[in-house]
Amino acid sequence: SQTIHQWPATLVQPVGSPLSLECTVEGTSNPNLYWYRQAAGRGLQLLFYSVGIGQISSEVPQNLSASRPQDRQFILSSKKLLLSDSGFYLCAWSRLAGVQDTQYFGPGTRLTVL
Amino acid sequence: AQSVTQLGSHVSVSEGALVLLRCNYSSSVPPYLFWYVQYPNQGLQLLLKYTSAATLVKGINGFEAEFKKSETSFHLTKPSAHMSDAAEYFCAVKGLDFGNEKLTFGTGTRLTIIP
């Protein structure tokens, strides 16, 4: 069976500090990978998605970036965090490049920027 | 572009009562619709999905949803609420005219169960 991991589970960082969140998927190969952010009182916002190693598409221009150094690893980064970067970050994967396919979500990382 | 609207950011029902969470979608092409549930500080779990095979979709935990094209709705229901159903519920849509596999989510409905 497939599992998706995210770490850390929680993170408190000062404004201006760097960020690295990691997501890994087990039990499948060549998954589509996604990063979402969930801000308080708002829905989920798609930040990045990837259909393969080194292939990253950005949905929203911001001070965040994503990388996919390995097939089942997806990293969300920032060089300098802003207060507005606080939120709940969710990684997701899907098996196929089809509209019917389901996205499966990881447990999330709670980021607080102070 | 596709969009979804969830009516009611907060819904409260008594234990044992009917649960009805509303979702309306906007799409110029046949949509694929999903309901996810999120428990506090956890990721999203798929409840059910509509992929045009049947208009009434049954999901996990006793939930079901009916796709009504004439009303552009995909409301989530459960006949009898249980305390464990307290969570936030998200409706989401994907469309055939997307160039990527982007899910568009509603803003969510927080369900509270009254003992």
Side-chain angles (χ1 to χ4, degrees):
Chain A
S1 63
Q2 299 81 24
T3 55
I4 178 169
H5 304 278
Q6 288 186 245
W7 63 88
T10 60
L11 191 60
V12 180
Q13 293 285 93
V15 170
S17 64
L19 173 74
S20 181
L21 303 181
E22 189 166 346
C23 169
T24 58
V25 180
E26 296 178 354
T28 189
S29 59
N30 196 30
N32 295 330
L33 296 171
Y34 312 83
W35 277 113
Y36 289 86
R37 177 169 59 199
Q38 187 178 25
R42 301 176 67 178
L44 281 80
Q45 178 186 35
L46 179 65
L47 302 175
F48 301 95
Y49 66 95
S50 171
V51 299
I53 295 175
Q55 301 178 58
I56 308 294
S57 296
S58 174
E59 286 293 309
V60 182
Q62 56 211 325
N63 68 318
L64 298 172
S65 62
S67 62
R68 184 169 178 174
Q70 301 181 40
D71 181 44
R72 291 169 291 175
Q73 184 184 32
F74 205 24
I75 297 173
L76 183 69
S77 303
S78 175
K79 293 182 179 179
K80 290 185 177 182
L81 283 169
L82 306 173
L83 285 174
S84 57
D85 291 324
S86 292
F88 194 48
Y89 288 82
L90 290 160
C91 181
W93 74 275
S94 65
R95 184 175 294 110
L96 302 171
V99 291
Q100 295 188 44
D101 199 41
T102 301
Q103 290 184 18
Y104 300 95
F105 286 80
T109 295
R110 174 78 58 192
L111 171 66
T112 303
V113 182
L114 301 176
Chain B
Q2 271 70 275
S3 66
V4 289
T5 301
Q6 291 185 243
L7 299 176
S9 58
H10 292 85
V11 170
S12 296
V13 302
S14 298
E15 189 176 15
L18 171 71
V19 175
L20 171 60
L21 304 182
R22 300 180 185 273
C23 173
N24 288 89
Y25 68 90
S26 172
S27 175
S28 59
V29 296
Y32 292 92
L33 296 156
F34 303 78
W35 275 101
Y36 285 86
V37 60
Q38 185 181 32
Y39 298 100
N41 294 310
Q42 294 187 27
L44 275 69
Q45 180 182 6
L46 179 71
L47 276 178
L48 49 82
K49 66 179 181 181
Y50 167 75
T51 57
S52 76
T55 57
L56 182 62
V57 182
K58 295 187 182 298
I60 62 172
N61 301 340
F63 284 94
E64 63 182 36
E66 186 172 8
F67 173 73
K68 291 187 177 180
K69 184 178 179 180
S70 61
E71 299 177 7
T72 60
S73 68
F74 190 56
H75 302 330
L76 182 70
T77 60
K78 182 174 180 177
S80 177
H82 191 273
M83 294 301 294
S84 61
D85 295 327
E88 189 153 20
Y89 293 79
F90 292 92
C91 183
V93 63
K94 278 201 287 186
L96 287 172
D97 61 343
F98 274 171
N100 58 64
E101 304 317 308
K102 176 181 174 180
L103 263 178
T104 299
F105 284 88
T107 51
T109 297
R110 185 170 299 280
L111 177 64
T112 300
I113 309 299
I114 304 167

